[in-house]
Amino acid sequence: MIYLETPLTVDKIKQLKAGDEVFLSGTIYTGRDAAHKRLIQLLDEGKELPFNIQDQTIFYVGPTPSKPGQVFGSGGPTTSGRMDAYSPRLIKLGLHAMIGKGYRSDAVKKAIVDYHGVYFGAIGGVGAMMSSCIEECEVIAFDDLGPEAIRKLKVKNMPLVVVIDHLGNDLYEIGRKNYLKKDCK
């Protein structure tokens, strides 16, 4: 088990390999496809992003409403492919880590390799458990998007797995190859 603190610099990311189990702590941001589309629109208009993206981590999540006394509603990972049209540009600008579920496009994988990023997988269906790792939550942009607004989170020991490392090793591909090598007799 690897314990990591944000921000995730290139030096920290280069120590990770596909399949590593990680507990992540520190500040991360949320954002799904509607928020990503707006981030790209801001860049196209020459405007600043609502947070400094350098060495940051984005969790692809749209939480349910918080219950009384909760910091964050249930929030499991969103399918990452929905952000693939936007991610390479953000990775190039310094976004170093993404948390989600599912496959990533070749363009995202190339950007991860070219700019030393990492893609973490979180387990779908465990939104309540994931939410228990969130200590603080503040909406910082696009409040009108409701659950898809960008939130700044403080997390403690969020359990993740490195799915794609900075060298482009993809746990989904590795797992499939290892499975096919087994003798199924």
Side-chain angles (χ1 to χ4, degrees), residues 2-173:
I2 298 169
Y3 290 84
L4 275 179
E5 291 277 339
T6 63
L8 294 184
T9 61
V10 171
D11 289 339
K12 290 178 184 178
I13 288 170
K14 284 185 173 183
Q15 296 176 22
L16 302 173
K17 64 182 184 305
D20 284 347
E21 296 176 5
V22 172
F23 279 133
L24 184 65
S25 297
T27 299
I28 66 174
Y29 296 87
T30 68
R32 288 180 28 168
D33 38 328
H36 276 67
K37 182 177 180 179
R38 288 202 187 166
L39 291 173
I40 297 302
Q41 287 172 338
L42 289 173
L43 292 171
D44 288 346
E45 295 168 2
K47 297 179 181 175
E48 287 191 28
L49 297 178
F51 63 98
N52 180 355
I53 203 162
Q54 185 64 48
D55 299 332
Q56 296 303 332
T57 301
I58 290 185
F59 180 20
Y60 303 144
V61 64
T64 63
S66 302
K67 293 179 182 175
Q70 283 185 325
V71 173
F72 194 79
S74 181
T78 298
T79 302
S80 302
R82 295 167 51 185
M83 276 55 70
D84 281 1
Y86 313 108
S87 294
R89 187 165 177 193
L90 297 175
I91 295 167
K92 184 177 180 178
L93 292 174
L95 173 68
H96 279 155
M98 298 150 288
I99 302 168
K101 67 179 181 183
Y103 298 98
R104 301 311 301 266
S105 70
D106 289 339
V108 172
K109 290 182 194 180
K110 182 177 181 343
I112 286 171
V113 171
D114 290 349
Y115 302 104
H116 309 291
V118 65
Y119 172 51
F120 294 109
I123 299 170
V126 294
M129 188 279 301
M130 296 292 289
S131 297
S132 70
C133 300
I134 299 168
E135 298 178 329
E136 296 176 18
C137 174
E138 172 190 3
V139 174
I140 63 163
F142 316 137
D143 189 36
D144 62 303
L145 293 178
E148 293 202 35
I150 294 181
R151 290 168 170 76
K152 179 180 178 181
L153 306 178
K154 181 179 176 189
V155 300
K156 178 78 172 174
N157 292 334
M158 181 177 273
L160 305 168
V161 174
V162 176
V163 175
I164 303 173
D165 64 27
H166 76 283
L167 297 173
N169 298 308
D170 185 331
L171 188 59
Y172 293 130
E173 293 174 6

